Amino acid sequence: MAGYSSEREAYLKRLRRIEGQIRGLQRMVEQDKYCIDILTQVSAATKALQSFSLELLDEHLATCVVQAAATGGEEADLKVREASDAIARLVRS
């Protein structure tokens, strides 16, 4: 079971809201809205995705990585490496 399962509905709600923001951006472009207004909305959508990803990462660390660390061995090494790689991807984005 995924570590975020207890928060699944809340995560899906947030993702639907972000999806709405992206559709709003599409409408803005279709309607030839002012560039700066579109960029403002892009920034808001980007921040929403960043916030979502940080919360999901926190959940992953608190559940999956902690459980693997308690077990030890190769599984713990793998989970720590996965988390480190995910953090590196988030920092680069």
Side-chain angles (χ1 to χ4, degrees):
M1 180 170 17
Y4 60 84
S5 293
S6 65
E7 298 295 322
R8 182 179 181 168
E9 287 306 313
Y11 284 142
L12 287 171
K13 183 178 179 180
R14 288 178 72 182
L15 287 170
R16 286 185 199 104
R17 193 174 315 124
I18 293 167
E19 180 182 24
Q21 287 179 295
I22 301 304
R23 288 188 181 164
L25 283 166
Q26 290 173 323
R27 282 190 300 276
M28 290 177 81
V29 171
E30 288 170 351
Q31 297 169 358
D32 291 326
K33 297 293 183 181
Y34 186 54
C35 298
I36 298 302
D37 294 338
I38 296 170
L39 289 170
T40 299
Q41 292 306 311
V42 167
S43 178
T46 300
K47 292 216 183 298
L49 275 172
Q50 287 172 340
S51 174
F52 174 82
S53 60
L54 288 173
E55 190 170 321
L56 188 61
L57 176 63
D58 187 52
E59 186 78 29
H60 178 70
L61 291 172
T63 58
C64 300
V65 176
V66 167
Q67 289 171 1
T71 304
E74 289 183 30
E75 180 71 13
D77 294 340
L78 173 65
K79 293 295 181 188
V80 169
R81 191 169 32 257
E82 285 176 343
S84 179
D85 291 346
I87 292 166
R89 284 191 302 272
L90 288 172
V91 169
R92 285 191 298 262
S93 64

